[in-house]
Amino acid sequence: MNLQAVQETEAQGEAAARLPAHEVVYRALRERVLFGQFEPGQAITIQGLVAELGAGMTPVREALRRMMAEGALEFRGNRRISVPVLGPEDVEELRFARLALEPELARRACRKATTADISALEEADTHLDEAIRRGNVHDYLVQNHHFHARLNHVADAPILAGIVEGLWLRFGPSLRVVCGQFGTRNLPDMHKDLIGAMKARDADMAAAAMVGDLNQGMDMIAQSL
């Protein structure tokens, strides 16, 4: 781990220490859903999260409430909460929403990116390639999300980026299933095309690369159903 990464990790740890308990629990639960540590259809219990996270009942209940409000979890009756199972129509809705927003974020990022921003995206893509080489599914999911989140941050469109982040929560568990079925080496992306477009300051090319990237991902999710 390089110095910058160490400093970022330490800063995140210090920031987390200042957060209220319910926010810490929410972020921990959110990461578990986003990176597919809970499978589609898997039941989640308050008692189980209390034991796993070492948290109190109240912050766990609040985190579950927030995740259900965001559509990342669903209430199934008999006090049962679970990760939603996507159907073909759900995947197509997600594809439609992503195509409406993420190419525009890529365009904006292309126009606003500094040389340092592009270098950071290249570094994120290098970490992603390493996760693919090692076949590490968890690291692949983390680094893939980090690349897209970094790009959306550069776009400086917080409303659009916030909506997109909510969409990622809905298909994260299914992407984990895809990795299990196809393996990380069989998960193509167009990140290098996107970075090349950003270097060329070609916003339309960046948007086209994003269209190709997300269509590849959503196609594989659809095939895994």
Side-chain angles (χ1 to χ4, degrees):
M1 183 179 291
N2 60 32
L3 178 58
Q4 181 181 358
V6 170
Q7 291 172 334
E8 288 179 354
T9 300
E10 290 177 347
Q12 290 169 356
E14 292 172 0
R18 296 191 295 269
L19 293 172
H22 66 85
E23 184 66 23
V24 172
V25 171
Y26 167 75
R27 294 188 183 194
L29 177 58
R30 189 177 180 283
E31 283 197 1
R32 282 163 171 74
V33 173
L34 182 61
F35 302 134
Q37 289 176 251
F38 298 124
E39 297 179 0
Q42 180 177 343
I44 298 173
T45 65
I46 294 175
Q47 293 82 0
L49 287 175
V50 166
E52 181 180 347
L53 301 176
M57 297 279 282
T58 299
V60 167
R61 286 196 184 98
E62 174 63 16
L64 288 170
R65 185 194 64 77
R66 289 176 64 182
M67 293 291 286
M68 286 189 285
E70 293 172 348
L73 297 173
E74 61 183 4
F75 184 72
R76 302 288 292 178
N78 295 323
R79 304 182 68 180
R80 182 172 176 266
I81 299 169
S82 65
V83 177
V85 177
L86 297 181
E89 292 183 358
D90 300 314
V91 173
E92 287 312 305
E93 278 193 55
L94 286 165
R95 186 199 301 269
F96 178 87
R98 293 187 69 195
L99 285 171
L101 300 173
E102 292 186 63
E104 175 60 21
L105 284 166
R107 283 192 185 91
R108 295 186 183 212
C110 184
R111 295 177 183 132
K112 296 181 179 181
T114 65
T115 300
D117 289 329
I118 295 173
S119 295
L121 288 169
E122 287 184 303
E123 182 178 2
D125 193 49
T126 297
H127 291 317
L128 178 60
D129 289 341
E130 177 61 19
I132 291 172
R133 187 190 66 78
R134 290 185 285 108
N136 189 315
V137 171
H138 177 73
D139 284 358
Y140 169 85
L141 294 169
V142 170
Q143 296 301 333
N144 184 54
H145 176 265
H146 176 67
F147 178 92
H148 285 266
R150 180 80 189 194
L151 181 77
N152 294 343
H153 175 73
V154 173
D156 192 26
I159 295 174
L160 298 181
I163 296 171
V164 167
E165 192 67 13
L167 297 175
W168 275 68
L169 273 175
R170 290 175 179 262
F171 67 79
S174 296
L175 192 56
R176 181 67 177 249
V177 173
V178 167
C179 291
Q181 291 185 1
F182 295 99
T184 57
R185 291 181 182 270
N186 296 312
L187 297 175
D189 64 58
M190 298 187 68
H191 293 174
K192 291 176 177 57
D193 292 340
L194 202 159
I195 291 170
M198 294 180 75
K199 288 181 176 179
R201 300 297 175 180
D202 190 326
D204 288 338
M205 187 184 297
M210 180 58 73
V211 169
D213 186 73
L214 73 84
N215 269 328
Q216 286 177 342
M218 298 310 292
D219 283 346
M220 298 189 84
I221 289 175
Q223 293 169 29
S224 73
L225 299 179

